[in-house]
Each structure stands twice: as C-alpha cells, then as structure tokens.
Amino acid sequence: MIVYLMCFILFLTGMYGVLSQRNLIKIVIGLSVMEISIFLFMALIGYIDAGVAPIVTQTGEQLIYVDPLPQAMVLTAIVIGLATNAMLLAIAIRLYKKYKTFDVRKINQLKG
Amino acid sequence: MESFLPLYMVTPLAAAFLIPLVGRVFSAFARTITPLVFLLLLILGIHYLLSGISSPLTYEVGGWQPVNGIPIAIYLVLDGFSTILLITINLIAFLAAFYSISYMKKYTAENNYYTLFCLMVAGMNGVVLTGDLFNLYVFLEIAAISSYALVAFGVEKTELEASFKYQVLGGMASLLILLAIGLLYWATSTLNITDISHILMIQGDNKIILFIQILLITGFGLKAAMVPFHAWLPDAHSSAPSPISAMLSGILIKAIGVYVLFRLLFNMFTLTYEIALTITVLAVLSMVIGGILAIGQQDYKRLLAYSSISQVGYILLAMGIGMMVLAQNGAKEIAALAILGGLFHLINHAVFKGLMFMNAGAVEHATGIRDLAKLGGLAKWLPLTSATSFTGSMAISGIPPFSGFFSKLIIIIAAIQANYYLLAFLAALVSIITLAYFLKLQKNIFYATFPEHIERVRKIPFTMKCSMVMLAILCLAMSLLIIPGIRDIVLIPAVEVLID
C-alpha cells in the first residue's frame, strides 16, 4: 500500500511544481514529474508478488506471470509523453527568444 | 459493412504522412488532398446514416476474436451517437480545409499546417469511434498535441503564450484522464467500454468509482472548457489561425471533451444523482459566466471564444437535465427530449460557431484588424460576409427560423417539463444576453460608420466565400432536423444509445 501512496505524493509534488513555479522550464519539469508518477502507478497495477515476466516457455511449468497489459500501456504513454515534452520545450524556447525571459509573470500579453 | 470504419483514422493519417513527402515536389498537393479526404469521409458517414442500419457496427482491429467472452482486440464501434459526431467533424473539417486554401497563403510552411490539420482530424475521428479506453487516450493525445502546435502556428508572442498555457492545462487534463483509466483498469481488469459497464453493473457503487468519475469530469471538463476550467480557451481559440479556431471551437472541445464525457457517464457508469447535479451546476456556471464575460470583450475572436464557453454550457445543461431525470427514475420521455435538445444544439453550435470564426477570419483578411472599436461600416465593402455574419448571429442567439432557435426551445421545454423552472429561466436569459453581444458585434463591425484609418479593404477570395455561404445555408437547413421524419433518422438513434 505504501508504494501507491508514494506514487500519489509524487503526483502531488509535480502538481505543486506546476502551480507554484514561475520559470517555464520548471513548469515543464513539474509536468514531467506528474507524468512519471502516473507511469509508476500503472506499472504497479500490473505487478503480482513473485510474478515473472510474461513469456511463454516450452517447459510447461505453471508460473505466475505479471500482467503485461499495463506495461504495454506505460510504453505507449511514455512515447506520448515524449511528444508532449518536446512540444512544450520547443514552445518554451520560442517564448524565450521573443520575450528574453523564462519568467511567466513577464509573459503576460493575454489576460485569460 | 463495418470494414470502412478504420478508414476514418487511416486516410487522414496517410494524408498526414504523404503531405510532407509529396508536397515538396508538387506544391498544390497538400491543398487538394486535405479537403478531398474529408469530403470522402463525410460522404461515407452520410451514406451509412441513410442506409438505415439500426444495430451498431463493431470492428475488431487485427481480427482478434473474443476468448471465453472476453474481448481481446481493440474495438471500433459506430452507433447513432458516434455517427452524428463523425459527420459533424468531417463536415466542418472539409469546409475549414477548403477555406484554408486561400486563407493560409499568407503563412509560410503550408505543408506543416495541412499535416497537423489531418493529424488533428484523425485523432478526433479515432476518439469518436474507439470502444477501448486506452486507445481513446492515445487518439485524444494525437488530437490535443496537433492542436497545441496549430494554436502556436503564427509563432508570434501571443500565439506562443496562448499555446504554452493551453499545453500546461491540457497536459494536466490528459494526466488526470490517464490516472482515471489506470484506476478503472485496476478496478475492473479490462479496458473495453462495454465490458467495463457489465462489470460495474455487477460490482455496484463504491467509493473508487466515484473518485474515477470525479477525475474524468475534471479532465474532460478542462478539455471542454467548463467554467472553473475555462481560462485557456479564450487565449488559445483567439490566437489560432481562423480556420483552426473554427475547428477548435466548433468541433475539438466537443469531440474530445463533451462527447467522451457523456459517452462514459451514460454508457459506462451507472448514473447517480450527485454526478448529474455536478454536471448541471458546471453547465449553468459555464452558460451564465461565459455569456456575461463575452459582453465586455473588444476583440472579435475573443468574444466568439467566450460565446463558445456559454454555448457549450447549453449542451451540458441539456445533458445534465437528462441525467438528473434518469437518475431519479423520472419519465424517460422528458430525459429523451432533453438529450435530443443537447445533441441538436451540439451539431448546430459546430455549424454556426464555425461560420462565425470564418467570418472573423474574412474580416481580418480584408482589413487586418480584430479590434471591434477600430472596425465599422464594412457592410458596404463586404456585403457577403455581412450577410453570413448576420445569419450566424441570428442562429446562435436563437431567432426563428434559424436552427439555434429550435435547439434552445427544446432544451427550455425539457427543463420546464422536468420542473426545473430556474434552469429554464436562466437558459432563456442567457439567450437574450447572447443576442445582445452578437448585435453589438454586428453593429460595431458592419453597420457603424466606416473609420478613416482603414486604408483599403481587400477582396475575400472564392474558397473562403464558398465555405462561409455553405455554412450559412446549413444554419437554415439544420432547422429541418426538427421534422419528425428526418429527426428519426439522425437524432433519435443517438438519443437511444445514450438512454439505454
């Protein structure tokens, strides 16, 4: 149970980073931390105590396998996460070129 | 028959792949192939709708058959609800792509624009068709990431700022949705939506399911820009190029926000009164606050963006009333009427908000100005844009015989029949507020005196005019959906999918 809670604490840490930081790059880091906490959580969902990797062998023994589906999901989600991070950082770099700062308080042409 | 379902993802993805390759050699390739793809998908959708097949179509990706009744493949499901969404998506995408042919000439990197456009539509089609939760997340991210890039397409200060804001909030929403999907897999050990609904029916209500529902409402609420989560929408939708604003406001917030939320709440979870009440409260907040904020706007596209928040509020309100009636075991006819009104308003809003953003693009193309205070008297120079803008304004504020009148009327009647008089009153009141700010818009841009600082008014190219006129005609023609014969083909199957 404690690992699930730690995942959740990691998630909240990331969210705190996104909400409290003023630097664009730190906001991106906060989002990545949130993302990774969810990946960890999903990998944990498929874990079974004393389970082995789900590869069917010829020997015919009855082994306990861990659930492979969440692992496949996490792999896909990591690839998507890469795309989001690349996009965010590209925009952050462009913003730096235009405004000469990473401070969100100074990037305020739009009023929300 | 069901073998055409993968085409909805495959053709836009293939077009997105081919455009950067072939587009280098033939510069007109991107411009021609994009509208053609969407036209093909639109015709396929209408063909299915008219073929009169009543049972939903399912397609197993990869041909994996279920083992012991447990589905293994990713399922694509086409039923009444997804059909009307698919047709609306591809209709607006076709017209927006056609409009872009002239509009995007002033931008560089046209090929990248059309690639992203195709990817976005592929993502939305996928979200609407898929019957698998994780697949839904993947397509949702495809649509969302390409829309982030499209918002920043102008790479000026405001565009970049809007895109960053949109990405941070959209990213958080996606993560909440992913967390909810993970928790659902934990609770039910399956990802197929139909399968999950069977298991949840047996399991009954518990705390974890309630938590998942709240996560989903927050996540999709952020995507659909319901009021406490709306801060990104006016910036993002007003900064994008106009055809993209039309796509984002008209379709994207519905396909990846409203549609998925109601598909899951109605068809996967058991309806509860608390969740229905939450949706209704959020709906009323969006409707009223979006409308009031729109009055004060001085920027053409920001006004339209705030109006989107308010109109999406109407759709949510209708769905919320339907859910509340169903959750309390009230009369099914009233719930059906409310949901019908919501779906009808969803299609209508896609049409007239698409039209209004295209008008904004035309005015910006002609004069280069978006500030309402600096515009005026354009009716003499742009008679066609003035007429289409008038049609759109009347439709959105609910003046008969335009389509918006009938959808709003149905929502108000349903609210009164369900004894929610306050909701009916608020819906009528916001309709008047809508009329007020659209009259202000129409007067400031087209009827006031022509300001002297506008040196010249450029002509609107043919493709832009053509798209605008087609949408303006649709604003009138959509009223026909209320006729019982047509209603039974288009709207009733969708309502039945949601109620059962």
Side-chain angles (χ1 to χ4, degrees):
Chain A
M1 197 59 205
I2 191 103
V3 272
Y4 296 108
L5 273 179
M6 284 171 80
C7 271
F8 195 62
I9 292 169
L10 194 61
F11 183 80
L12 293 181
T13 315
M15 195 178 257
Y16 175 76
V18 174
L19 297 177
S20 67
Q21 292 305 312
R22 307 246 161 82
N23 186 311
L24 291 183
I25 302 294
K26 286 183 183 165
I27 292 176
V28 179
I29 293 173
L31 266 177
S32 305
V33 172
M34 280 170 80
E35 206 173 274
I36 284 164
S37 75
I38 290 176
F39 296 163
L40 271 176
F41 174 70
M42 286 176 61
L44 277 172
I45 289 172
Y47 180 71
I48 296 166
D49 259 344
V52 295
I55 301 164
V56 178
T57 48
Q58 296 291 322
T59 49
E61 320 165 57
Q62 286 292 313
L63 292 169
I64 303 169
Y65 296 122
V66 296
D67 189 351
L69 190 65
Q71 299 181 358
M73 278 156 60
V74 169
L75 260 183
T76 319
I78 286 174
V79 177
I80 295 172
L82 179 77
T84 3
N85 276 344
M87 189 68 214
L88 267 166
L89 288 172
I91 299 287
I93 291 167
R94 286 283 190 136
L95 273 171
Y96 183 76
K97 279 184 184 159
K98 293 277 177 198
Y99 287 86
K100 304 284 176 229
T101 174
F102 276 127
D103 192 338
V104 280
R105 284 170 300 182
K106 292 185 180 120
I107 303 173
N108 56 357
Q109 295 221 326
L110 296 168
K111 295 287 183 287
Chain B
M1 184 68 192
E2 67 272 5
S3 53
F4 76 93
L5 291 186
L7 279 183
Y8 277 96
M9 282 80 97
V10 173
T11 31
L13 282 178
F17 175 73
L18 284 177
I19 285 166
L21 292 177
V22 185
R24 274 169 192 265
V25 189
F26 307 105
S27 58
F29 179 73
R31 288 199 284 276
T32 37
I33 195 80
T34 318
L36 282 179
V37 165
F38 301 140
L39 186 62
L40 168 81
L41 297 179
L42 174 65
I43 292 170
L44 271 178
I46 294 176
H47 174 71
Y48 169 74
L49 188 72
L50 298 180
S51 66
I53 300 170
S54 53
S55 58
L57 299 178
T58 45
Y59 177 88
E60 291 125 14
V61 178
W64 299 89
Q65 298 302 319
V67 177
N68 302 331
I70 300 164
I72 294 178
I74 292 171
Y75 280 54
L76 303 179
V77 185
L78 184 67
D79 53 22
F81 191 22
S82 30
T83 314
I84 57 168
L85 251 290
L86 269 187
I87 292 177
T88 322
I89 290 172
N90 289 297
L91 172 75
I92 305 291
F94 164 64
L95 290 172
F98 195 60
Y99 180 94
S100 307
I101 294 175
S102 319
Y103 186 83
M104 293 311 289
K105 283 209 172 119
K106 61 183 171 191
Y107 289 86
T108 52
E110 247 185 292
N111 285 345
N112 296 356
Y113 170 79
Y114 285 107
T115 309
L116 288 166
F117 197 117
C118 285
L119 278 176
M120 187 167 80
V121 177
M124 285 191 281
N125 283 342
V127 166
V128 170
L129 274 177
T130 187
D132 179 280
L133 273 182
F134 191 71
N135 197 233
L136 187 147
Y137 171 75
V138 173
F139 279 117
L140 187 135
E141 284 291 86
I142 293 178
I145 293 173
S146 35
S147 73
Y148 303 151
L150 282 168
V151 166
F153 201 75
V155 287
E156 288 303 320
K157 279 186 173 182
T158 51
E159 277 101 338
L160 291 169
E161 188 190 332
S163 175
F164 194 83
K165 201 185 265 182
Y166 180 22
Q167 277 187 63
V168 172
L169 288 173
M172 272 189 155
S174 301
L175 291 174
L176 290 174
I177 293 166
L178 187 61
L179 180 61
I181 292 173
L183 284 169
L184 260 178
Y185 181 74
W186 197 14
T188 62
S189 311
T190 174
L191 286 170
N192 188 294
I193 293 177
T194 337
D195 216 23
I196 292 179
S197 78
H198 289 317
I199 293 173
L200 288 184
M201 207 111 73
I202 300 164
Q203 268 187 359
D205 222 19
N206 57 31
K207 289 282 184 299
I208 189 91
I209 300 298
L210 191 67
F211 181 59
I212 292 169
Q213 278 172 305
I214 291 166
L215 279 179
L216 285 174
I217 290 179
T218 319
F220 289 113
L222 263 164
K223 295 272 185 203
M226 297 178 193
V227 147
F229 317 117
H230 69 288
W232 59 271
L233 184 134
D235 294 345
H237 287 199
S238 60
S239 301
S242 286
I244 296 304
S245 307
M247 286 294 290
L248 294 179
S249 251
I251 296 294
L252 190 86
I253 52 173
K254 303 195 188 73
I256 70 173
V258 177
Y259 167 83
V260 191
L261 186 60
F262 289 115
R263 165 71 74 190
L264 298 184
L265 287 182
F266 276 99
N267 290 18
M268 200 168 78
F269 296 108
T270 337
L271 288 178
T272 51
Y273 184 71
E274 291 77 18
I275 295 292
L277 193 67
T278 316
I279 294 280
T280 316
V281 169
L282 288 176
V284 171
L285 282 176
S286 316
M287 197 169 74
V288 176
I289 296 178
I292 291 172
L293 286 174
I295 298 179
Q297 298 304 316
Q298 275 307 314
D299 183 302
Y300 197 163
K301 285 169 87 173
R302 281 181 85 81
L303 188 147
L304 296 179
Y306 275 108
S307 148
S308 281
I309 299 175
S310 165
Q311 299 299 316
V312 167
Y314 270 100
I315 304 172
L316 295 169
L317 176 73
M319 298 295 196
I321 292 172
M323 283 168 79
M324 287 209 286
V325 172
L326 282 179
Q328 286 173 317
N329 290 324
K332 271 202 168 177
E333 296 77 45
I334 299 173
L337 189 69
I339 293 169
L340 182 112
L343 291 176
F344 192 18
H345 200 65
L346 190 151
I347 313 174
N348 284 342
H349 181 249
V351 171
F352 45 61
K353 194 46 67 67
L355 174 62
M356 291 311 286
F357 269 112
M358 286 183 188
N359 287 327
V363 169
E364 203 186 351
H365 178 87
T367 59
I369 303 173
R370 261 168 43 188
D371 191 339
L372 291 185
K374 290 181 184 157
L375 285 163
L378 286 175
K380 208 170 74 186
W381 302 89
L382 306 171
L384 192 85
T385 314
S386 167
T388 52
S389 170
F390 183 73
T391 320
S393 309
M394 290 301 106
I396 202 167
S397 21
I399 306 291
F402 294 102
S403 54
F405 168 72
F406 295 104
S407 51
K408 285 186 183 177
L409 186 69
I410 293 177
I411 296 173
I412 293 172
I413 290 176
I416 290 174
Q417 283 190 351
N419 293 331
Y420 298 119
Y421 298 109
L422 180 66
L423 297 181
F425 170 73
L426 283 173
L429 183 74
V430 173
S431 191
I432 297 168
I433 295 178
T434 313
L435 183 65
Y437 61 75
F438 274 103
L439 283 180
K440 167 192 159 186
L441 183 128
Q442 189 72 11
K443 175 181 154 283
N444 276 356
I445 292 170
F446 295 105
Y447 298 144
T449 48
F450 187 73
E452 285 170 6
H453 58 82
I454 299 179
E455 283 159 10
R456 71 192 187 104
V457 181
R458 286 198 285 169
K459 273 194 174 168
I460 312 289
F462 167 73
T463 65
M464 286 165 74
K465 275 185 186 167
C466 190
S467 290
M468 278 148 52
V469 170
M470 272 198 259
L471 280 174
I473 294 171
L474 273 176
C475 274
L476 260 177
M478 294 298 253
S479 315
L480 295 177
L481 283 182
I482 203 71
I483 296 171
I486 305 173
R487 192 177 61 202
D488 290 345
I489 300 175
V490 183
L491 291 172
I492 298 293
V495 175
E496 278 167 358
V497 167
L498 287 179
I499 284 197
D500 289 341

